[in-house]
Amino acid sequence: QVQLVESGGDLVQPGGSLRLSCAASGIIFSIYTMGWYRQAPGKQRELVAFITGGTTTNYADSVKGRFTISRDNAKFTVYLQMNSLKPEDTAVYYCNAHFPGSDYINGYWGQGTQVTVSS
């Protein structure tokens, strides 16, 4: 079966850095578009970044220049390097996998990992 397992969430101070990982299994990883989405309490889930199998990337305006998404197909893992973290980055971060041309909402999701940015 398909499994996406996130890790790396933590409590960090503003301006700090964190690296999230998502290990995938049960999919042809190299051709799937992988993404990170986040949801803060009382707010709608939103795109953070995604990366296609061809390594094309896209970022939400709020994280451009601060976050970097990457993938290691040999390890079936997608990463999110988060720098210059702000309190508004606080959210549960979810890993997503969807086949190109499909709706990401109906793709596969991990369980989420909590990121809290606070002093």
Side-chain angles (χ1 to χ4, degrees):
Q1 71 276 30
V2 176
Q3 288 189 338
L4 303 176
V5 181
E6 302 99 329
S7 61
D10 206 350
L11 170 65
V12 296
Q13 295 187 3
S17 296
L18 207 58
R19 188 197 197 201
L20 306 183
S21 298
C22 172
S25 62
I27 60 172
I28 306 174
F29 183 82
S30 63
I31 64 172
Y32 268 70
T33 294
M34 304 296 299
W36 288 97
Y37 297 76
R38 67 187 181 187
Q39 188 165 21
K43 297 183 179 180
Q44 194 170 7
R45 180 175 52 192
E46 65 176 3
L47 169 72
V48 178
F50 69 76
I51 181 168
T52 70
T55 67
T56 297
T57 59
N58 196 31
Y59 297 89
D61 287 342
S62 59
V63 306
K64 286 181 179 177
R66 300 189 298 120
F67 291 9
T68 302
I69 189 170
S70 62
R71 64 193 298 160
D72 187 337
N73 289 342
K75 296 181 178 180
F76 310 110
T77 301
V78 63
Y79 305 96
L80 184 68
Q81 178 65 48
M82 304 185 293
N83 299 325
S84 302
L85 283 162
K86 305 174 180 179
E88 49 263 47
D89 295 319
T90 296
V92 177
Y93 284 70
Y94 296 94
C95 181
N96 171 272
H98 74 276
F99 194 80
S102 300
D103 188 351
Y104 81 92
I105 297 175
N106 298 124
Y108 301 103
W109 295 91
Q111 82 288 350
T113 185
Q114 178 71 48
V115 172
T116 302
V117 185
S118 177
S119 59

